[in-house]
Amino acid sequence: MGRKSTFSEAQIIAAIREVEGGAKAGEVARKVGVSLQTLGRWRTRYSGMSVPDVKEKKRLEEENAKLKKLVAQFAMEIDTLKVCLGKKW
């Protein structure tokens, strides 16, 4: 897992909107204090979204990660039970 961003969703959206408004990406990246690669990653991930949309997306991603962990845990339990019940006592 990556580290937590030091930028808020509002700051990220503001930077993207500035680039979409016609400002040069290099200037915006320098002003914000990130690399062009980071700005490009933000654009692919958050382009066309508003701050509430981003928050909802993050909430859904966190919930999805929790559900995936639960499914993996249950799959391991099922495999363990199959092994235990398959043995002749």
Side-chain angles (χ1 to χ4, degrees):
M1 248 169 116
R3 63 183 176 92
K4 183 166 169 43
S5 175
T6 58
F7 297 95
S8 69
E9 292 91 2
Q11 290 172 319
I12 293 171
I13 298 295
I16 292 170
R17 288 213 175 122
E18 197 170 331
V19 172
E20 289 173 348
K24 292 187 178 181
E27 292 175 9
V28 173
R30 200 172 315 111
K31 186 174 86 172
V32 174
V34 296
S35 68
L36 276 172
Q37 182 181 9
T38 300
L39 188 62
R41 196 175 318 120
W42 286 352
R43 286 176 67 188
T44 58
R45 188 175 296 159
Y46 300 114
S47 185
M49 298 176 84
S50 63
V51 176
D53 293 338
V54 172
K55 288 184 179 186
E56 179 68 11
K57 179 183 177 191
K58 280 192 175 189
R59 186 190 66 76
L60 290 172
E61 286 173 348
E62 289 171 0
E63 182 180 348
N64 195 22
K66 287 178 185 176
L67 291 173
K68 284 183 179 181
K69 285 180 184 178
L70 279 173
V71 168
Q73 181 182 358
F74 288 139
M76 286 176 49
E77 288 177 6
I78 289 171
D79 288 343
T80 305
L81 289 173
K82 283 181 181 178
V83 168
C84 290
L85 294 176
K87 289 183 181 177
K88 304 241 177 185
W89 297 95

